[in-house]
Amino acid sequence: MHRLTLAQIARGLAAKDFSSVELTEALLTRIGALDPQLNSFITVTADQARAQAQAADARRAAGESGALLGAPIAHKDLFCTQGVRTSCASKILDNFVAPYDATVVEKLAAAGCVSLGKLNMDEFAMGSANESSHYGPVRNPWNTECVPGGSSGGSAAAVAARLIPAATGTDTGGSIRQPAALTNLTGLKPTYGRVSRWGMIAYASSLDQGGPLARSAEDCALLLGAMAGFDPKDSTCVDQPVEDYLAALNQPLAGLRIGLPREYFGAGLDPRLSDAVMACVEELKKLGATIKEIGLPNMQHAIPAYYVIAPAEASSNLSRFDGVRFGYRCENPQNLEDLYKRSRGEGFGAEVKRRIMVGTYALSAGYYDAYYLKAQKIRRLIRSDFIAAFQEVDLILGPTTPNPAWKLGEKSSDPVAAYLEDIYTITANLAGIPGLSMPAGFVDGLPVGVQLLAPYFQEGRLLNVAHQYQQATDWHQRAPEGF
Ligand code: GLN
C-alpha cells in the first residue's frame, strides 16, 4: 500500500479495497521501522492519526466522497498544529504546543486528510541541506550519506521513501522545489498569496509560501486544490477563485512556448544536469512545445539581494522568541536582559544567529539605504525581468539546482557554498511567481530536477506541463532501493 500515490489511494478508498485505518496503520508501522535511517519525522502523532482515519472512514461510510478523504499526509513542523508540538526544528520551540491550527492544516483536515505527524526541517527553514535542525540532520533515501535538500528535507525524505504519499512544505527561497529535486519528487511553490500563511511560523514574510511535495503532478494538483484560497486571517492572501487544477492537467501542450533562460545554463551548472534538462526539453518538444532562448539579466544579483532581504525580515520576525511568553527560557535569569540574552543565545542555533545578525545589521541606521533598500530595488528588477520574459513565452524552464545531492557535512562549514545552491530557485520568491520542480533523470544514482516557472496564478499551467511530461516518462515513478 505504501507505493500508492494519492490519486491511487483515492481510487482504492472509493472502491473499498482498503480503509483509511488500514492504510494509516501500515504507514505508521513503516515509519517506525524505516525512519530511524532517515530522521524525517520530529513527532509522530499515531493516536491522532488513528482517530482521524476512523473519522474519515465514518464520513465515507455515511456517503461522503472527496479525493482526499482518508488520505495520509504529514506537515512540515512549522505549520502550527493545535495540541501538537510545533518546533520549527529549533530548541527555542522544543516545548511549544500550538494553541491553534494553521489555515493549511485546517483546510487539509477538513478535506479529510489524516496527519501522521510533524516533519523535520532546517531550523526556522533556514538552510538548503536540512543539517541545521535541532533534532539532527535528515538523510536522503537515494543515498543516506547525502543530504535530502532543505529546508523541507523531512517532507522530501519521508515522501521519497514511501513513508507517506505526500507532505506539506514551505518555500522562501527554494525549500519545496530544491528538496523535491534532490529526492525525485514533484514540488510546487504557489504564487505569493495563493496559499494562506496564517499559522505558518514566519521566516521571511514577503517570500514565504506553503505548498505540496508529492510523487506526481496529479497529487500536487489534488493537494493544492485543498490548500489554496482566500483567508481573511492573512492580509497578503489574494482573494481570487481557485482554479480546478485537476481539470487543467489534461490540456494538450501543442503550441506551448517555453523559454530557456541563458543565465540558467552558464558556469556553475553541473554539465550532467544540463544534459538531463535538455533531454526533458526534447521530450516536451515531442509533446508539441516550442523552445526559445530568453534572458533574465538581473539573475546574477538575486542571491545577494535575497540574503539581505530574507535575513532582514527574519531578524524582525524572530524577535518574538524572547523567553517571556512561550518557548525555551534559560535557567535562573538574573534580570530581564539576562533572560533575553541567554534564552535566545541558548535557544537559537548557529545559522539562525548568523541570519539575525546579518539582518539586524542590514536594517540598522546608516546601512538601511546601502543594503536593504538596494536589495528591494534589485527585487523589483528581477520581477520586471520575468514580466518581460512572459511577454514572449508561456513558461520558463531550467534546472532546479546546479548540483545533485551532496554529502552530509560537505557544505556545512561554508555558508556561501550552500547559499549558491539556491541560485535558480530564489528568483521566483523575489518576484512572487509560482514554480514547480519535477523529476527528470539521474546522475550517479541521484535524482535531477527540472524547474518550471509560470506567470502569477498560473499554477494550473505548471501542473499541466508536469503531468503531460509524467504521462510520457517514468522518472517520477522510480523509488529508492531499500525503501
Ligand atoms: N536555502 C534558502 C535559505 O536558507 C531557502 C530556504 C527556504 O526556502 N526556506 O534561506
Side-chain angles (χ1 to χ4, degrees), residues 18 35 110 119 134 180 299 321 351 396:
F18 47 82
D35 200 44
L119 295 159
H134 172 59
M299 184 182 133
F321 304 106
E351 184 61 27
I396 294 174

Side-chain angles (χ1 to χ4, degrees), residues 204-270:
S205 311
S206 76
L207 302 160
D208 297 343
Q209 191 60 198
L213 288 105
R215 295 205 298 268
S216 68
E218 186 181 18
D219 283 7
C220 285
L222 274 169
L223 283 174
L224 185 64
M227 293 167 80
F230 179 59
D231 178 6
K233 296 201 278 275
D234 171 3
S235 61
T236 61
C237 197
V238 180
D239 191 359
Q240 177 159 323
V242 177
E243 198 183 333
D244 181 345
Y245 299 119
L246 281 180
L249 296 177
N250 294 315
Q251 311 269 346
L253 301 191
L256 181 84
R257 299 168 305 165
I258 296 181
L260 305 184
R262 62 186 77 86
E263 295 81 2
Y264 275 54
F265 293 87
L269 174 62
D270 180 329

Side-chain angles (χ1 to χ4, degrees), residues 133-483:
S133 168
H134 172 59
Y135 304 94
V138 177
R139 289 171 184 274
N140 190 325
W142 289 92
N143 177 343
T144 53
E145 303 277 284
C146 290
V147 302
S151 66
S152 312
S155 306
V159 178
R162 276 71 179 153
L163 305 184
I164 40 173
T168 57
T170 62
D171 191 312
T172 304
S175 281
I176 290 176
R177 290 161 288 157
Q178 185 256 16
L182 269 40
T183 58
N184 206 43
L185 298 182
T186 307
L188 173 64
K189 180 202 92 75
T191 306
Y192 184 76
R194 178 69 295 181
V195 169
S196 169
R197 291 184 298 109
W198 198 76
M200 253 171 65
I201 295 174
Y203 161 16
S205 311
S206 76
L207 302 160
D208 297 343
Q209 191 60 198
L213 288 105
R215 295 205 298 268
S216 68
E218 186 181 18
D219 283 7
C220 285
L222 274 169
L223 283 174
L224 185 64
M227 293 167 80
F230 179 59
D231 178 6
K233 296 201 278 275
D234 171 3
S235 61
T236 61
C237 197
V238 180
D239 191 359
Q240 177 159 323
V242 177
E243 198 183 333
D244 181 345
Y245 299 119
L246 281 180
L249 296 177
N250 294 315
Q251 311 269 346
L253 301 191
L256 181 84
R257 299 168 305 165
I258 296 181
L260 305 184
R262 62 186 77 86
E263 295 81 2
Y264 275 54
F265 293 87
L269 174 62
D270 180 329
R272 300 168 304 168
L273 269 66
S274 175
D275 292 346
V277 176
M278 292 321 289
C280 169
V281 168
E282 286 309 312
E283 197 61 49
L284 291 170
K285 274 200 212 161
K286 280 194 229 155
L287 295 172
T290 60
I291 307 297
K292 182 172 181 173
E293 188 179 290
I294 58 162
L296 295 171
N298 291 293
M299 184 182 133
Q300 52 175 321
H301 306 304
I303 289 196
Y306 173 89
Y307 279 100
V308 169
I309 293 169
E313 294 185 14
S315 71
S316 168
N317 278 325
L318 270 56
S319 65
R320 69 186 59 145
F321 304 106
D322 55 7
V324 176
R325 287 156 300 173
F326 51 83
Y328 175 79
R329 177 180 294 176
C330 67
E331 300 272 347
N332 302 320
Q334 301 302 301
N335 51 47
L336 188 61
E337 191 173 326
D338 184 45
L339 169 93
Y340 286 154
K341 278 190 179 161
R342 282 200 291 123
S343 299
R344 287 168 67 82
E346 293 163 17
F348 288 134
E351 184 61 27
V352 174
K353 285 180 191 158
R354 181 178 2 252
R355 306 240 183 153
I356 291 174
M357 286 190 283
V358 169
T360 306
Y361 180 83
L363 290 177
S364 53
Y367 297 110
Y368 182 91
D369 289 357
Y371 297 109
Y372 185 72
L373 210 60
K374 193 85 172 178
Q376 292 289 27
K377 288 179 180 169
I378 292 171
R379 184 173 191 176
R380 178 63 180 226
L381 292 174
I382 288 169
R383 177 175 178 268
S384 304
D385 278 358
F386 278 118
I387 290 173
F390 287 127
Q391 302 288 324
E392 297 178 55
V393 295
D394 305 310
L395 195 86
I396 294 174
L397 183 150
T400 307
T401 62
N403 295 294
W406 58 93
K407 292 260 162 65
L408 256 85
E410 199 179 306
K411 294 187 207 264
S412 46
S413 58
D414 183 356
V416 175
Y419 296 172
L420 286 170
E421 288 297 317
D422 299 333
I423 180 116
Y424 305 129
T425 48
I426 58 176
T427 49
N429 303 76
L430 289 169
I433 59 170
L436 175 148
S437 180
M438 62 180 188
F442 291 84
V443 296
D444 292 341
L446 291 168
V448 176
V450 158
Q451 177 176 234
L452 310 175
L453 300 170
Y456 296 103
F457 294 101
Q458 298 298 322
E459 286 80 6
R461 189 180 298 167
L462 294 175
L463 291 163
N464 170 216
V465 175
H467 180 69
Q468 293 301 316
Y469 178 70
Q470 291 177 351
Q471 298 303 105
T473 57
D474 69 354
W475 301 118
H476 66 295
Q477 290 169 353
R478 314 244 176 134
E481 232 168 88
F483 289 98

